[in-house]
Amino acid sequence: MKNKILLLLLIVFNTTQLFSQNIYDSLLNELNTKYPQEKVYVQLDKSFYSPGETIWFKAYLKSDNTGVQISTSMYAELINENGTILQRKTMPVLLSGAASNFQLPDTIKSSKVYIRAFTSWMLNFDSTLLYAKPVNVIRGDASPKKETPVHYTITFFPEGGDLVSGVESKLAFKTNDQDGKPFDVKGNIVTPDGKVITDFTSAHNGMGFTLFTPQTGLTYKAVWKAPSGKMQETPLPAARSQAATLSTLWDNGQLKYTIKRSEDATDDMKEFVVIAQAGQQTVYAAKINLKTKTTVTAPMVTDSLPDGIVQVTLFNRASLPVAERIIFIKNNNQYFITDLHIVEKNIKQKGKNVLQVDVGGSLKSNLSVSVTDADLDIQPAAKENIYSQFLLSSDLKGSIYNAPYYFSSNEDSVASQLDLVMMTNGWRRFNWEKLLAGTMPKLKYIPENYLTIQGNVFGLTPVQLHEKMLTGFIQTGNKNENSIFTVPVNKDGSFKIDQLYFFDTLKISYQFNGDKNKRLTEMASFGFRNNLLASPAVDKTLSSFLPFAMQPPSAIAQKSIKQTNLFRDQLSKQDIKVLETVKVTGKIKSPRDKLNEEYASGMFSSGNARIFSIEDDPTAAGSMTVLDYLRGKVAGLQINTTSGGGGGTITRRGSNTDVFLNESPTDIDMIQSTPMSDVAMIKVFDPPFFGSFGGGAGGAVAVYTKKGSAGRAGAVKGLSTTTVQGYSSIKEFYSPDYSTDNTSVPDYRTTLYWNPFLLMNPQNKRVTIPFYNNDSAKRIRVVIEGINELGQITREEKIFE
């Protein structure tokens, strides 16, 4: 396609030199291959929170290189209006998603709280590219707030970047108050002596444009009336003589651009190169000759371009960028379809409902699902969603009011309004002048391969460290299961254990390999640390470029606070179960529960799983191997074994099932070679299982050997030990099951269901989701967002009543 465009332009503009284009192509190619960009979007379970509530969130990570995941770890921080980090979470990225939660302090008074999310790779670039999202916190007091004077502003944006003397162009504008809200405006462009040149009127959300031809030697200002009734004056940008304008126009679905220069332009401003790029890749290039004329219009083919922003830049003969225009391409090729239906509806007190989610195609996808009480979870006017963040806001400077609106329809009127956004917000991903000067980003941070334990040995000479190996055991949680490691120690004493995946803390027992009397081990001192980064500095102006947090209507705010407090009181009295304690009032723990507490830890201690207590199952004695024992015991678990019994496969829902021995990844051969007489417990986890690399689309089988068996706690006696922090611990969303739970306990939940990881694949295209209503909801809001392995995104929102 690119070659066809270039050939057409060679004919139209009668030029045979493409050396200029090669400069820009080369720079963009270097950017794309060495410095690919990542974008983050965070979905919350609902729109408003009361002090003391839990904020459940799912973070999505998308690369400009479609389908390529650069980072495997993500950071999220809860920040107050003063720039203080209140809480911090570290998370593994699985299939372009990561999830966790924040606990809002119950003493919080301000409604201005933000979530900042980023990867280490993103820290190599402009700090303004780090994702930040306001969290709407309902103020805990009902007293009216002191009125503060409203500050109104209007900003003008010449199309292409500059006003040019004697050349007519569009002059766009945007209005905002101090909270980032737009307002309608009318006004006039006048000369210093008050002569009206033209007028202007906002067309949509405080934005609009007027045609304007500035004259040499004159200055201009805008005179307009603020909503308060006060007349205001705003000076316009000064016009330039040696400059050019770049404008675009959609004509019957075809994009056309126009270049104009001034009559007295120098030779440098008579020859141009036009470069259009999307995702740091050239999508259009042309050389323009304006030696004998002052204007030219040309088409740009866009029907094969990906959805999103295209940056069109005009370079003069000296290869300096002189004008720029951004346009939005909407070919609807970056989406995939998610079908949401309710197959069982009972919107009564504690009624059971069942959702059905279908995703077609042959790609893996990662979805998140939120179900809320729609009368309490009202939607603020200034909001975002996965479409608006990934395709629009992440590439633009400034805040976009109600950005999801521009993805609500394919009507021409919405496209025209979106073009106003393009004219009033600048591109922020990179700067052409810096690129042409050879200034590339400096890479200080390299993407992690999940978790790495880095260490150093001190107190020994290089001779003593020559060809030394450090060996020992890694233990997760507070259990006695261990996995063995052996790593080389470098001459400088450094070593590392990489590609780890664990939560909370890890206990390491270690010594030098072959150091039977621990003489060398005791001579040395050791330092261990993880590879997780410290928090970067917080921009103290964070709140100034984000919309202020919104407040719901007073009646809804007070009801939400009341229900939150009642729900928290229930939790504190243990009237309902919470993941960390898994206690249910009046319930006696079963032998399986006790066995699970004794053996399982971290991600292995919770989740949907079948627990098999081998000693309590008389049929276990008749099974030769673990796979023989499991055959036919779990619906959907497909087991195939070899004729010799030593190997085999386990699959579920068409995907391979991961296997673990004492919570360490292993293979089928190891599982099959473990005698059943050594096995204490087997857990079979339903898909997905997030203790696995890649999200465990086929679930997992975890085999636990009896305490005292080979490879367990007794093997670490006498070794030195230390602990290392892993990813932030996981808290599971509480969702009652009123088919077994006590229905007499009042239900005050606002969020009825939250699942941050709903994994779909060609063998698992349909999922049903049961959940129960609270005591009072009459309308239920369901929001699904997600991403697939090609980087395409999806969103569906429905209200059931």
Side-chain angles (χ1 to χ4, degrees):
M1 177 59 71
K2 185 195 300 184
N3 292 335
K4 291 180 180 178
I5 295 173
L6 292 175
L7 179 61
L8 173 64
L9 292 168
L10 292 177
I11 296 172
V12 172
F13 298 111
N14 191 29
T15 176
T16 59
Q17 299 181 28
L18 294 178
F19 67 93
S20 294
Q21 181 228 332
N22 290 337
I23 297 174
Y24 311 111
D25 255 351
S26 176
L27 288 172
L28 287 172
N29 183 63
E30 184 176 358
L31 268 185
N32 189 48
T33 55
K34 295 182 179 180
Y35 312 98
Q37 297 290 298
E38 290 181 316
K39 302 175 181 179
V40 173
Y41 164 70
V42 171
Q43 178 189 3
L44 305 182
D45 65 302
K46 59 180 182 177
S47 299
F48 292 93
Y49 297 88
S50 302
E53 265 195 294
T54 299
I55 302 170
W56 302 94
F57 69 88
K58 168 75 170 287
Y60 288 97
L61 184 63
K62 189 178 185 331
S63 169
D64 278 345
N65 292 327
T66 303
V68 177
Q69 181 176 308
I70 299 171
S71 298
T72 58
S73 297
M74 188 180 293
Y75 305 82
E77 297 160 340
L78 187 67
I79 302 172
N80 68 11
E81 61 180 319
N82 299 319
T84 301
I85 298 175
L86 304 177
Q87 294 171 43
R88 184 174 191 257
K89 301 291 183 178
T90 56
M91 304 160 288
V93 179
L94 306 170
L95 297 178
S96 299
S100 192
N101 64 87
F102 290 116
Q103 191 70 36
L104 271 176
D106 55 9
T107 56
I108 195 166
K109 300 298 182 184
S110 173
S111 61
K112 303 173 187 176
V113 180
Y114 304 91
I115 290 177
R116 180 174 70 167
F118 56 91
T119 67
S120 60
W121 179 252
M122 294 172 70
L123 297 179
N124 292 307
F125 309 102
D126 190 340
S127 62
T128 62
L129 297 176
L130 300 186
Y131 176 85
K133 180 189 189 85
V135 178
N136 303 315
V137 180
I138 302 171
R139 288 190 290 263
D141 59 273
S143 58
K145 296 297 176 182
K146 181 180 178 181
E147 292 290 335
T148 57
V150 180
H151 181 62
Y152 299 102
T153 61
I154 184 170
T155 308
F156 288 89
F157 303 86
E159 185 178 21
D162 288 311
L163 292 173
V164 181
S165 299
V167 176
E168 183 183 68
S169 63
K170 295 176 185 175
L171 179 62
F173 58 88
K174 178 171 70 172
T175 65
N176 287 110
D177 64 16
Q178 80 268 17
D179 289 340
K181 298 177 183 177
F183 58 89
D184 293 334
V185 69
K186 291 182 179 180
N188 295 311
I189 305 296
V190 301
T191 60
D193 59 5
K195 180 182 177 181
V196 175
I197 303 301
T198 187
D199 61 3
F200 60 88
T201 303
S202 57
H204 171 71
N205 278 349
M207 298 177 293
F209 73 87
T210 185
L211 294 175
F212 177 53
T213 307
Q215 300 302 315
T216 303
L218 290 180
T219 59
Y220 301 89
K221 61 183 178 182
V223 179
W224 51 282
K225 181 184 290 187
S228 62
K230 181 180 179 181
M231 296 302 297
Q232 308 265 24
E233 294 185 358
T234 302
L236 297 190
R240 299 176 59 193
S241 58
Q242 296 303 315
T245 65
L246 172 64
S247 61
T248 62
L249 177 69
W250 289 96
D251 184 11
N252 292 323
Q254 183 181 51
L255 180 67
K256 296 180 180 179
Y257 66 90
T258 298
I259 300 168
K260 297 179 183 179
R261 66 165 177 86
S262 57
E263 291 282 355
D264 58 349
T266 62
D267 288 343
D268 276 348
M269 298 300 295
K270 294 180 180 179
E271 294 179 83
F272 302 94
V273 171
V274 178
I275 296 291
Q277 70 84 23
Q280 301 184 161
Q281 298 184 61
T282 305
V283 297
Y284 178 92
K287 189 173 182 182
I288 308 296
N289 189 330
L290 287 183
K291 291 181 178 179
T292 59
K293 50 187 175 181
T294 60
T295 182
V296 67
T297 297
M300 183 183 297
V301 178
T302 62
D303 55 5
S304 63
L305 297 184
D307 294 341
I309 293 176
V310 172
Q311 177 196 30
V312 184
T313 307
L314 182 68
F315 299 89
N316 67 7
R317 193 174 68 173
S319 294
L320 295 177
V322 295
E324 181 178 280
R325 178 69 151 89
I326 55 175
I327 54 177
F328 194 88
I329 303 298
K330 199 171 185 181
N331 289 325
N332 296 322
N333 54 20
Q334 292 299 298
Y335 314 126
F336 68 96
I337 297 174
T338 301
D339 286 328
L340 167 66
H341 306 282
I342 189 164
V343 294
E344 183 178 335
K345 185 171 72 171
N346 183 3
I347 309 181
K348 296 180 180 179
Q349 183 179 9
K350 296 184 175 69
K352 182 181 179 180
N353 300 268
V354 179
L355 301 174
Q356 178 178 298
V357 180
D358 294 274
V359 177
S362 59
L363 299 174
K364 295 178 182 178
S365 56
N366 185 354
L367 311 178
S368 46
V369 184
S370 172
V371 182
T372 57
D373 182 336
D375 292 321
L376 289 176
D377 181 30
I378 63 171
Q379 300 300 291
K383 58 183 179 180
E384 66 170 6
N385 63 31
I386 195 169
Y387 292 152
S388 65
Q389 170 60 19
F390 277 147
L391 300 179
L392 184 62
S393 304
S394 58
D395 287 329
L396 297 181
K397 292 179 180 177
S399 175
I400 302 169
Y401 186 80
N402 194 16
Y405 165 78
Y406 304 104
F407 299 88
S408 63
S409 169
N410 289 320
E411 294 293 328
D412 289 344
S413 58
V414 176
S416 298
Q417 292 161 352
L418 178 55
D419 198 49
L420 290 175
V421 176
M422 298 296 99
M423 285 195 286
T424 56
N425 290 271
W427 171 260
R428 67 173 183 167
R429 282 284 157 185
F430 62 84
N431 183 297
W432 269 114
E433 291 181 345
K434 289 184 178 180
L435 293 186
L436 291 166
T439 305
M440 289 289 181
K442 295 181 180 179
L443 297 183
K444 182 179 178 182
Y445 305 98
I446 304 300
E448 306 97 338
N449 190 355
Y450 291 100
L451 293 176
T452 297
I453 297 176
Q454 301 166 331
N456 290 91
V457 179
F458 304 98
L460 298 181
T461 66
V463 174
Q464 291 172 310
L465 290 172
H466 181 64
E467 295 186 351
K468 284 293 181 290
M469 306 287 287
L470 196 66
T471 188
F473 299 88
I474 294 176
Q475 175 184 317
T476 58
N478 58 0
K479 310 301 175 186
N480 291 322
E481 293 80 19
N482 302 283
S483 57
I484 301 173
F485 74 89
T486 300
V487 294
V489 179
N490 300 317
K491 290 182 179 180
D492 62 356
S494 63
F495 60 88
K496 70 176 181 179
I497 312 168
D498 57 7
Q499 298 186 53
L500 298 174
Y501 182 98
F502 64 96
F503 296 82
D504 295 322
T505 55
L506 188 76
K507 184 177 180 181
I508 304 173
S509 304
Y510 60 92
Q511 72 171 39
F512 283 117
N513 195 23
D515 190 18
K516 293 183 179 180
N517 298 320
K518 295 187 61 179
R519 183 184 63 84
L520 200 62
T521 303
E522 291 177 355
M523 286 176 57
S525 59
F526 297 80
F528 293 82
R529 65 189 183 280
N530 62 34
N531 61 329
L532 297 175
L533 300 178
S535 293
V538 178
D539 187 345
K540 297 300 182 181
T541 63
L542 179 67
S543 61
S544 66
F545 61 84
L546 286 172
F548 275 24
M550 309 291 288
Q551 288 292 302
S554 178
I556 293 177
Q558 295 310 309
K559 182 178 180 181
S560 179
I561 290 175
K562 180 180 178 181
Q563 295 206 174
T564 297
N565 291 336
L566 289 169
F567 185 59
R568 287 172 56 214
D569 287 343
Q570 285 183 325
L571 291 178
S572 64
K573 295 175 182 177
Q574 296 183 345
D575 287 333
I576 54 179
K577 60 184 178 181
V578 184
L579 176 67
E580 288 88 343
T581 55
V582 197
K583 292 181 179 178
V584 180
T585 301
K587 183 177 179 180
I588 300 174
K589 292 179 183 176
S590 68
R592 286 188 177 87
D593 292 335
K594 292 179 180 179
L595 194 66
N596 187 55
E597 280 193 6
E598 181 182 358
Y599 281 89
S601 65
M603 294 287 289
F604 291 84
S605 62
S606 60
N608 294 324
R610 289 280 305 278
I611 299 174
F612 298 95
S613 175
I614 304 305
E615 287 192 349
D616 295 331
D617 188 350
T619 66
S623 301
M624 296 293 293
T625 67
V626 169
L627 297 194
D628 288 338
Y629 174 77
L630 288 176
R631 196 187 307 274
K633 281 186 164 56
V634 180
L637 192 69
Q638 302 296 317
I639 296 175
N640 295 299
T641 55
T642 59
S643 57
T649 61
I650 311 177
T651 60
R652 200 167 184 187
R653 295 182 183 174
S655 299
N656 289 331
T657 299
D658 294 316
V659 291
F660 296 83
L661 181 62
N662 297 325
E663 300 185 356
S664 295
T666 188
D667 55 26
I668 296 295
D669 288 341
M670 180 64 74
I671 292 295
Q672 287 291 75
S673 64
T674 302
M676 282 298 293
S677 59
D678 283 349
V679 177
M681 179 179 75
I682 301 174
K683 291 190 73 171
V684 180
F685 292 88
D686 292 339
F689 176 62
F690 301 111
S692 300
F693 281 106
V701 171
V703 178
Y704 294 83
T705 56
K706 296 174 182 177
K707 300 288 179 72
S709 295
R712 301 182 65 81
V716 301
K717 273 187 178 180
L719 298 187
S720 302
T721 61
T722 189
T723 58
V724 177
Q725 185 67 41
Y727 291 121
S728 301
S729 59
I730 298 294
K731 179 180 177 181
E732 190 171 296
F733 179 81
Y734 164 67
S735 187
D737 180 358
Y738 287 126
S739 65
T740 58
D741 290 355
N742 185 357
T743 58
S744 65
V745 177
D747 190 336
Y748 303 108
R749 294 170 300 136
T750 304
T751 301
L752 307 178
Y753 179 84
W754 167 253
N755 185 349
F757 281 103
L758 190 64
L759 303 183
M760 314 285 279
N761 57 42
Q763 293 76 37
N764 182 34
K765 295 183 177 182
R766 171 173 293 175
V767 172
T768 55
I769 301 171
F771 68 93
Y772 289 85
N773 194 14
N774 62 17
D775 284 348
S776 58
K778 304 300 182 207
R779 300 188 308 140
I780 292 174
R781 184 189 308 278
V782 182
V783 177
I784 296 179
E785 294 186 312
I787 191 168
N788 67 18
E789 57 187 317
L790 286 185
Q792 296 172 318
I793 52 182
T794 190
R795 187 179 195 277
E796 186 162 8
E797 178 176 348
K798 288 185 177 180
I799 292 181
F800 300 104
E801 53 187 327

